Amino acid sequence: METRKRCGVLIAGAVIGFLGGAADVWAQGAAPAARGIDSGDTAWMLTACALVLAMIAPGIAFFYGGLVRSKNVIGTMVQSFAILCAVSLVWVICGYSLAFGPDRGGVIGGLDWAGLSGVGATPNPAYGPAIPHTAFMLFQLLFASFTPALITGAFAERMKFSAMLAFTVLWSLFVYAPLAHWIWGGGWLSKLGAVDFAGGTVVHIGSGLSALACALVVGRRRGWRTDYMAPHNLPYVLLGAGLLWIGWFGFNGGSARGANAVAVNALVVTHLTAAAAALSWMIVEWQHRGKPTVLGVASGAVAGLATSTAGAGFVGPNAAILIGLVAGGCSYLAIVWKGRIGYDDTLDVVGTHGIGGVLGTLAVGVFASKAINPVGTDGLFFGNSSQLAVQTVAVVSAAVFSFVGSYVILKLVENAMGLRVSHEEEATGLDLTQHNERAYS
């Protein structure tokens, strides 16, 4: 009798354990629910926040600062710092609520969370069932800061500092917040089935097409195609690219919202895509110009990083290599093509981030697999041909909205305060005319 009781207890315990494990699997793979704060997941998210911060300042600051002429290095580098500060406040006041707050018609979030009202330590099941809601908010704050910092490369060396700040604030509210809501906040694109793991659509198509609008509205630099405008400090460029590569591990890995297998896959895919794109760019440039360059390798790596974001948590390592090889070559050719068309995108934001975002978003529709991420989707190669069509809709809608929205904002700022510095100020350089400082004595 005693033996039967013991057997019964053991069997009951096994059944309860099995059901508990099954429930955990279901919770992670089908419908997330708040499980309480997990210290490991939270620690990883805080680490990811620090890595993304390093991408903005000093990553983008050094990368862009090295690419411009020496008379504009301070004026270029300080933009990343100023944008980080301005967007941080805008995000807390109302940006986060507009992007991730309760849905309003599939277009925008409400103001329920303005001033972070209701955003605290308790996990939000939709945005991270095992991390504080504020941790997710901070992570997304840094995404929101990184994206307009990318755009500055399109109008480097010629926009007023005051106009840049005004454009950034308006763009964050009226372009970035709605676009983020469409994909990540429960908006119409997410309801349609479009997926974007870490920003291929929101960050890179958003910044790339906005950069195109900036290049067209602000106009070409004085002396474009006649003056010598080569990068003034290639070691800065390489340093910035290296910091971006390191930070991108947090950018993509943190988008898994926990320390888990999807995060590991995201880091592997990030690295392989960047490495393949760097080599691809180098080889194509080598064949085209006769020499492999430091600028080419660094630019190729950044193009690969941009391309990796949409699918880092959905595609496998072999697909990542193929995506990177295509991205490096296509981005290089896009920059060559830019020179023939004649718009002056100073630091090639369109060719690097715009093209990378488009390729990465479409690649999800081809290579995504639920074997990589059970809560993701399958792509064309895994039996779901409709996903590619959905991703195409996301590309077109994000591109059109970003370009048109940016164009309108630029025109408003131009009419209100002017966009460009004077010809004399541009000739002297932004360092002295906008900040009364020199990078080098």
Side-chain angles (χ1 to χ4, degrees):
M1 189 68 179
E2 186 65 27
T3 302
R4 288 181 181 178
K5 288 182 178 179
R6 289 179 179 176
C7 289
V9 170
L10 290 173
I11 292 172
V15 170
I16 292 171
F18 172 79
L19 291 176
D24 284 343
V25 171
W26 182 86
Q28 294 173 19
R35 305 191 302 268
I37 293 174
D38 182 285
S39 59
D41 288 346
T42 303
W44 166 237
M45 288 302 299
L46 296 179
T47 301
C49 287
L51 289 169
V52 179
L53 175 61
M55 294 171 68
I56 306 167
I60 282 289
F62 272 105
F63 186 68
Y64 280 0
L67 286 170
V68 297
R69 290 169 287 180
S70 58
K71 64 183 180 180
N72 295 313
V73 60
I74 289 293
T76 299
M77 295 181 80
V78 75
Q79 289 177 350
S80 297
F81 281 78
I83 286 172
L84 173 63
C85 297
V87 174
S88 295
L89 300 186
V90 170
W91 194 247
V92 168
I93 293 168
C94 63
Y96 179 68
S97 190
L98 292 172
F100 291 93
D103 180 53
R104 296 290 187 270
V107 177
I108 196 70
L111 292 174
D112 308 54
W113 295 346
L116 301 187
S117 175
V119 180
T122 303
N124 182 295
Y127 299 136
I131 61 172
H133 193 177
T134 45
F136 176 78
M137 182 281 302
L138 178 61
F139 186 66
Q140 291 298 331
L141 178 155
L142 295 165
F143 270 53
S145 301
F146 179 70
T147 309
L150 292 177
I151 300 172
T152 62
F155 52 72
E157 301 194 310
R158 59 199 186 279
M159 184 182 273
K160 294 179 181 178
F161 186 73
S162 56
M164 181 278 299
L165 285 175
F167 170 77
T168 295
V169 170
L170 294 172
W171 189 88
S172 298
L173 290 173
F174 296 106
V175 177
Y176 184 85
L179 191 55
H181 185 78
W182 292 359
I183 293 283
W184 293 329
W188 71 276
L189 280 176
S190 66
K191 293 174 182 176
L192 188 66
V195 294
D196 178 7
F197 188 73
T201 309
V202 178
V203 174
H204 298 288
I205 294 179
S207 64
L209 272 295
S210 298
L212 179 59
C214 289
L216 295 176
V217 174
V218 177
R220 301 168 183 168
R221 287 167 291 174
R222 185 184 183 190
W224 186 69
R225 282 187 168 173
T226 58
D227 294 352
Y228 183 72
M229 295 184 174
H232 91 284
N233 194 322
L234 288 175
Y236 271 18
V237 175
L238 202 58
L239 173 61
L243 289 167
L244 286 170
W245 197 327
I246 293 169
W248 230 287
F249 278 17
F251 196 85
N252 285 355
S255 295
R257 305 176 193 179
N260 50 44
V262 175
V264 174
N265 183 81
L267 264 66
V268 172
V269 167
T270 301
H271 184 72
L272 292 176
T273 309
L279 290 175
S280 175
W281 185 305
M282 180 187 74
I283 291 169
V284 173
E285 183 185 39
W286 200 340
Q287 291 298 313
H288 182 230
R289 301 191 186 280
K291 298 285 185 182
T293 65
V294 168
L295 178 60
V297 173
S299 299
V302 173
L305 293 167
T307 308
S308 74
T309 52
F314 302 128
V315 307
N318 292 323
I321 294 173
L322 179 59
I323 292 168
L325 291 173
V326 173
C330 286
S331 292
Y332 177 78
L333 293 175
I335 291 170
V336 173
W337 178 69
K338 174 205 76 170
R340 294 174 180 172
I341 291 180
Y343 67 91
D344 186 15
D345 171 13
T346 312
L347 307 183
D348 297 316
V349 183
V350 179
T352 303
H353 298 278
I355 296 299
V358 170
L359 290 175
T361 301
L362 295 177
V364 172
V366 178
F367 298 109
S369 171
K370 286 187 177 180
I372 300 295
N373 187 342
V375 299
T377 186
D378 285 323
L380 177 65
F381 284 2
F382 294 91
N384 182 14
S385 58
S386 64
Q387 191 62 42
L388 181 57
V390 172
Q391 295 299 108
T392 302
V393 172
V395 167
V396 173
S397 57
V400 172
F401 178 72
S402 299
F403 179 86
V404 173
S406 299
Y407 191 94
V408 171
I409 292 170
L410 287 163
K411 286 298 184 180
L412 290 173
V413 174
E414 184 177 39
N415 290 332
M417 58 196 306
L419 289 173
R420 290 189 68 142
V421 297
S422 68
H423 285 178
E424 293 75 16
E425 290 173 324
E426 188 174 343
T428 302
L430 302 187
D431 291 5
L432 282 175
T433 61
Q434 298 295 294
H435 307 285
N436 197 31
E437 293 175 306
R438 292 180 184 271
Y440 312 104
S441 60

